[in-house]
Amino acid sequence: MPLKWKKIWISDETYESAAVFDVDGDGVPDIVSGAFWYKGPDFRKKFCLGAVRQEGEYFDDFSTIALDVNGNGRLDFITGGWWGGALRWVENPEDPKKPWPVHVFAEPGNIETTRGWDIDGDGIIEIVPNTPNSREVQVYKLKTDASGNGTGKFEKHVIYSFPEGQKQGHGLGCGDLAGNGRMDIILQHGWLEAPADPWQEEWILHQNEWKLDWAMSSVPMLAVDVNSSGLNDIIFGNGHGYGLVWLEQQRDSAGRRKWIKHNIDPFNAQYHDMLWIDIDGDGQCELVTGKRHRAHCGNDPGEWDDYGMYYFKWTGDGFVKQVIDYGAIGQAKGCGIQFAAADLSGNGLPDLVLPGKDGLWLFSNQGA
């Protein structure tokens, strides 16, 4: 049966990224979004982290990735944005109610958004920005000490450089497409096959293996085995137009790949962020996504459509869409550029923390 949801207002702030982690070390998850953190379990007490650069309707804050960067046992977070062109880690101080120091650790150029994936399998995530205008695909590895604790420093790895005239493009994902257990990188026009040693050996580009009529793919692009074929497929949306698809990976007897396009939802727009999680507790993952409201501030196709949040359940034959929230602008809720899922009620089911230009809300998962 479809899930029921309790919609809870958190704030009118219009930052587009949020995360859930224990800020103050009391064992209770908190919400962090933009310039503020909200103390759990009711999220009614709000504390300022520090100012965030604003550019019109946007803030230069397109990710919230929790990581203990300096190894002191407190979770910090990584962010960055389009205008500053820089990756920053924001330090959780001894008293988290005081301003959080900001440390710039890289300047890769315009950042669409950033994600954290464990590329080398050492148990610590690497920081991977989507920089559409750059020729380089960059990965930033946290430097650790002999005990495996963060040192506050990152090591830059350029895993691939496109030829002059080519760019990385809009869209980024990570997962095993080759079927060898390694973490490949998925891009708008193809994918990079990871070598055994991702920092010393060459990454192989598989370019133009799929063709779409739109060129602003979501972040993330998901690598998941949708149909239980033993091969990972790809799910991604059109971040600035209509469309949500999955590409089925098939191989012939010689091992040659081909990708078969299947529409999931061609009728809604701005599918910019998404998660593949077990939202209903049945042991199978669902696709959770929605619209990034005012992604280009009124200039995208579908901007003025009714919109919302959804989960798509795989039936064995196709995806079935279930509505979490849907309605007119000003009434419904979208998901911003990076939303979060965590069990905040203790019922064993993931709740959703949804930021965006339409405010910050918690959708409490009430089950079926």
Side-chain angles (χ1 to χ4, degrees):
M1 294 179 63
L3 297 170
K4 296 186 180 299
W5 300 84
K6 183 178 180 182
K7 185 176 180 180
I8 303 168
W9 174 88
I10 301 296
S11 176
D12 289 330
E13 302 291 348
T14 57
Y15 303 101
E16 292 196 74
S17 178
V20 174
F21 61 91
D22 183 4
V23 166
D24 52 3
D26 64 355
V28 178
D30 309 295
I31 294 173
V32 178
S33 182
F36 299 95
W37 71 274
Y38 304 82
K39 184 172 175 58
D42 60 6
F43 313 109
R44 291 298 173 240
K45 290 185 178 179
K46 173 180 177 180
F47 303 96
C48 187
L49 304 168
V52 179
R53 175 178 175 175
Q54 186 170 7
E55 295 286 340
E57 289 186 51
Y58 294 103
F59 290 91
D60 199 52
D61 176 55
F62 280 2
S63 65
T64 312
I65 302 170
L67 183 65
D68 182 3
V69 176
N70 55 3
N72 63 3
R74 297 190 294 270
L75 283 172
D76 317 294
F77 70 91
I78 289 95
T79 186
W82 189 265
W83 296 270
L87 287 168
R88 314 183 297 274
W89 72 275
V90 185
E91 182 179 356
N92 187 344
E94 187 172 356
D95 181 356
K97 297 176 184 178
K98 293 183 177 180
W100 292 35
V102 177
H103 308 270
V104 173
F105 67 89
E107 295 182 335
N110 302 123
I111 300 169
E112 180 66 21
T113 181
T114 303
R115 291 296 182 269
W117 294 301
D118 185 2
I119 302 294
D120 57 9
D122 68 351
I124 302 173
I125 60 170
E126 278 72 50
I127 304 304
V128 189
N130 182 205
T131 50
N133 293 327
S134 174
R135 291 171 51 203
E136 294 183 341
V137 180
Q138 301 178 13
V139 177
Y140 294 86
K141 182 173 178 59
L142 180 64
K143 292 184 178 180
T144 55
D145 60 19
S147 300
N149 298 316
T151 62
K153 304 293 184 181
F154 289 85
E155 185 177 58
K156 175 183 174 181
H157 295 273
V158 177
I159 63 170
Y160 193 83
S161 293
F162 285 96
E164 190 72 38
Q166 294 187 38
K167 298 179 180 179
Q168 182 186 132
H170 188 300
L172 182 70
C174 186
D176 181 12
L177 296 186
N180 56 16
R182 300 170 191 163
M183 295 291 276
D184 306 311
I185 296 292
I186 311 169
L187 302 168
Q188 174 187 325
H189 299 302
W191 60 285
L192 290 166
E193 183 175 345
D197 185 338
W199 314 132
Q200 299 297 326
E201 298 176 6
E202 182 183 3
W203 291 65
I204 304 301
L205 177 65
H206 301 272
Q207 195 167 21
N208 297 321
E209 287 197 4
W210 50 79
K211 294 286 188 180
L212 295 175
D213 57 359
W214 36 270
M216 290 193 175
S217 306
S218 58
V219 184
M221 304 167 76
L222 301 174
V224 297
D225 186 0
V226 171
N227 55 358
S228 301
S229 68
L231 300 172
N232 275 338
D233 312 297
I234 305 173
I235 301 174
F236 58 105
N238 188 344
H240 296 282
Y242 287 95
L244 178 65
V245 304
W246 72 283
L247 301 180
E248 179 184 357
Q249 183 178 175
Q250 295 183 354
R251 296 189 191 178
D252 63 19
S253 58
R256 292 182 292 252
R257 281 179 307 274
K258 66 176 180 178
W259 301 89
I260 310 301
K261 175 186 171 184
H262 304 274
N263 282 318
I264 301 173
D265 182 5
F267 306 114
N268 286 275
Q270 284 92 68
Y271 283 116
H272 207 290
D273 187 20
M274 55 194 62
L275 294 174
W276 183 250
I277 57 173
D278 182 6
I279 197 75
D280 58 7
D282 69 348
Q284 303 295 321
C285 287
E286 287 77 41
L287 172 63
V288 183
T289 185
K291 184 177 183 179
R292 180 187 173 197
H293 175 57
R294 294 188 66 74
H296 276 163
C297 304
N299 297 305
D300 280 329
E303 177 64 55
W304 306 108
D305 296 350
D306 288 356
Y307 76 113
M309 284 295 301
Y310 325 99
Y311 67 96
F312 296 83
K313 192 166 185 65
W314 177 253
T315 67
D317 297 312
F319 282 99
V320 173
K321 182 179 184 177
Q322 299 287 355
V323 173
I324 298 171
D325 195 31
Y326 184 79
I329 294 172
Q331 299 174 11
K333 183 70 186 84
C335 60
I337 203 167
Q338 186 180 33
F339 69 100
D343 180 11
L344 299 176
S345 65
N347 67 355
L349 296 172
D351 307 301
L352 300 177
V353 175
L354 304 178
K357 296 187 181 78
D358 46 4
L360 179 64
W361 292 75
L362 167 63
F363 278 67
S364 180
N365 189 341
Q366 307 293 292

